[in-house]
Amino acid sequence: MSKEFDVVVIGAGPAGYVSAIRCAQLGMKTACIDKWLDHKNKPSLGGTCLNVGCIPSKTLLESSELYHRAQHEFESHGLKIDGISLDIGQMQKRRVGVVSELTGGIAGLFKANGVTSFAGSGQVVDSGEVKFTDHDGKEETLKADHIIIASGSEPVELDIAEFDGQRIVDSSGALEFEEVPKKLGVIGAGYIGVELGSVWSRLGSDVTLLEAVDEFMPIADRQVAAEGLKQFRKQGLDIQLGARVTATKTTKKGVEVEYTQGDETHSVTFDKLIVAVGRRPHTQDLCAKGARVDLDDKGFVNVNDHFRTSLPGVYAAGDVVGNPMLAHKGMEEGVVIAEYLAGQKPHMNYDVIPSVVYTAPEMAWVGKSEAQVKSAGTDYRVGQIPFAANGRAKAMGQQAGFVKMIADANTDEILGVHMIGPYVSEMIQEMVVAMEYKASSEDIARIIHGHPTLGETVHEAALAVDGRPIHFPPKKKK
Ligand code: FAD
Ligand code: NAD
């Protein structure tokens, strides 16, 4: 006999678990199927984000940053520590602990909200029907008025550098090293490359990033990317741009990597090689033969502006529907679908999704970059203030970076804000709120910001749009 639900969600990553909880809050009888198993082969909710993505990477970024600061910055504060040493086992144990508390937390939230959790695989059979297969292979049919696909994404593998789990690893493997590799190579200098490259570099690895594109982080504003590149290189990350890997060979000693850069050919041997060249949608075995859920040419599930797929009653959200592949974007899509199903009229504003890179200094932005504003032909003004002019940043000893605000020259509406500096991951949220409410730079200039806070740099950048910063010399008028 089949089990019946109002909604069945496939996938319990950020898009799926949030959607399931919101559906249940809105009174729908909801089930959520997820196949993730942790290192002990136990079901673990939360998808990529909680198990091998956002959370474990930020946990290691925090630990490695503390280690680095204790070694390199404490002395300037008058703090002398003799013989600080690294206990990588404890660091990894802590990572596993943080992850398991949070994944267990999702299980608790499902219980509290009345979401029925199924551990195993889900497959869309047709409108209204999902086949569930548990981890022992037992099958069951689940009937539902609505099906939500939230099956996420997986790392892209390169033919010339296949994952072996030992020498050549994906981002999950790169979180689990039990000792610090002496020489670490990373193919790709995107989000994962710079974040995990930073982790292992701070812990003592000699890290080289091989990036195929000639520009560093093309998705960021050019000034933020240039400052990031300067800071990361200063920290010791060897970032090679325009570096095209042509071959890899695993030997007893390590992994030999050949790459070309301009007219030159290079060969270098690493102890470990991380491949971080993007992620692709996870749709393998997701639909039974004949269940026509259309995919685009890159394999993402095609959805319309109400997240409907080509199969009636089937919706999709999160990484599986496309970029940006960010947890908070997937969560919001999950909420919006649930609210559509409940007859509400939610709205998803793709123009105001924050991006954050959790390096040190952090990079964060929202809205359009200066290049995008320029190519749209909009008249604009820019206010830019360095953290070196901020009292709190000085007190913290973290004055690298700046806040750059771009506003429409005619209406003064804020079009984009780009930051690099301490805790800009937290500061960007003020600008997300401002842009969601279509604030002008003058609105921000007239809001009182606490003193001394890092947020005063945002205030000063808003003042600088109008050429009247207080704590930084204004640009000379031409
Ligand atoms: P996923 O999190 O991938 O979840 C999909 C779930 O569905 C998985 O549990 C999978 O096992 C399950 N599933 C798939 N198919 C089936 C099936 N047929 N049946 C049952 N279950 C199935 N994003 C940020 O916003 N901030 C960050 O700091 C950040 N850091 C990251 C760091 C790393 C190292 C990585 C790899 C990613 C990071 N991301 C970050 C990206 C973020 O993890 C993803 O955008 C997010 O997890 C996508 O959520 P999702 O729900 O769409 O998919
Ligand atoms: P990415 O798209 O951020 O970066 C991949 C990089 O690899 C790009 O710079 C690309 O030019 C380069 N590349 C592609 N093919 C290459 C090749 N053959 N040789 C050398 N370089 C090559 O992808 P990622 O770093 O793998 O991360 C995947 C996704 O996960 C991100 O796009 C992001 O959506 C998400 N993520 C987000 C965060 C965060 O929000 N802080 C952190 C990690 C991951």
Side-chain angles (χ1 to χ4, degrees), residues 57-58 158 160 187-193 195 210-213 215 217-219 243-245 275-279 319 323-326 328 355-358:
S57 61
K58 268 80 255 180
L158 296 175
I160 47 157
I187 307 184
Y191 278 93
I192 293 177
E195 288 187 0
L210 302 172
E211 166 59 53
V213 171
E215 271 183 317
M217 296 219 91
I219 51 166
R244 289 176 183 76
V245 176
V275 180
V277 293
R279 295 178 63 82
D319 280 11
N323 289 314
M325 291 197 192
L326 298 173
H328 42 284
S355 300
V356 178
V357 188
Y358 296 82

Side-chain angles (χ1 to χ4, degrees), residues 132-452:
F132 164 66
T133 310
D134 75 11
H135 290 296
D136 296 323
K138 209 175 120 214
E139 292 180 3
E140 207 173 339
T141 296
L142 308 184
K143 297 268 187 196
D145 294 339
H146 314 287
I147 297 167
I148 301 173
I149 295 173
S151 54
S153 65
E154 57 198 0
V156 168
E157 186 165 21
L158 296 175
D159 292 343
I160 47 157
E162 285 176 10
F163 302 129
D164 62 18
Q166 292 300 319
R167 294 282 188 195
I168 306 180
V169 297
D170 62 10
S171 56
S172 307
L175 293 165
E176 289 172 359
F177 296 152
E178 283 163 8
E179 47 189 76
V180 179
K182 238 172 147 221
K183 258 179 103 52
L184 173 66
V186 188
I187 307 184
Y191 278 93
I192 293 177
V194 293
E195 288 187 0
L196 296 186
S198 295
V199 165
W200 294 107
S201 162
R202 292 167 189 167
L203 297 178
S205 283
D206 179 1
V207 178
T208 302
L209 288 96
L210 302 172
E211 166 59 53
V213 171
D214 292 329
E215 271 183 317
F216 179 60
M217 296 219 91
I219 51 166
D221 184 88
R222 289 302 73 210
Q223 268 175 287
V224 167
E227 180 67 18
L229 184 61
K230 187 176 104 190
Q231 296 295 336
F232 304 149
R233 280 183 169 157
K234 212 161 101 187
Q235 290 162 15
L237 286 180
D238 177 11
I239 301 175
Q240 296 294 333
L241 301 174
R244 289 176 183 76
V245 176
T246 49
T248 62
K249 190 172 150 208
T250 306
T251 64
K252 270 194 190 146
K253 282 196 182 145
V255 46
E256 287 170 23
V257 176
E258 263 187 28
Y259 66 95
T260 59
Q261 204 173 22
D263 298 334
E264 290 173 19
T265 301
H266 302 264
S267 176
V268 50
T269 301
F270 299 109
D271 297 302
K272 300 269 185 192
L273 179 68
I274 304 171
V275 180
V277 293
R279 295 178 63 82
R280 62 163 176 237
H282 186 154
T283 51
Q284 212 188 339
D285 298 328
L286 181 68
C287 296
K289 262 197 190 136
R292 283 216 40 232
V293 173
D294 288 349
L295 309 182
D296 72 10
D297 53 358
K298 289 193 174 125
F300 291 105
V301 173
N302 264 333
V303 285
N304 71 5
D305 57 3
H306 279 48
F307 302 100
R308 288 176 192 271
T309 69
S310 50
L311 194 63
V314 180
Y315 301 76
D319 280 11
V320 78
V321 301
N323 289 314
M325 291 197 192
L326 298 173
H328 42 284
K329 175 255 178 186
M331 289 187 195
E332 194 56 23
E333 288 177 340
V335 167
V336 167
I337 294 176
E339 293 180 352
Y340 275 137
L341 296 183
Q344 298 183 2
K345 292 190 171 60
H347 175 66
M348 173 98 190
N349 185 358
Y350 285 94
D351 292 337
V352 188
I353 297 177
S355 300
V356 178
V357 188
Y358 296 82
T359 41
E362 295 178 338
M363 303 191 273
W365 61 91
V366 59
K368 293 192 167 61
S369 66
E370 187 168 355
Q372 287 170 329
V373 173
K374 205 179 257 178
S375 74
T378 312
D379 283 342
Y380 64 94
R381 298 192 293 175
V382 173
Q384 186 171 326
I385 297 293
F387 279 103
N390 177 276
R392 185 78 192 280
K394 276 254 186 254
M396 292 163 65
Q398 294 188 45
Q399 57 264 49
F402 55 82
V403 173
K404 170 177 174 181
M405 186 179 289
I406 305 169
D408 187 298
N410 299 309
T411 65
D412 195 34
E413 183 178 339
I414 299 170
L415 302 175
V417 185
H418 307 270
M419 307 181 181
I420 175 164
Y423 296 110
V424 294
S425 53
E426 301 295 332
M427 288 164 61
I428 199 67
Q429 205 54 38
E430 177 186 0
M431 292 298 97
V432 175
V433 174
M435 287 186 65
E436 195 64 57
Y437 285 90
K438 299 202 168 296
S440 61
S441 79
E442 186 65 18
D443 289 328
I444 304 302
R446 293 198 172 274
I447 288 172
I448 300 168
H449 287 69
H451 175 77

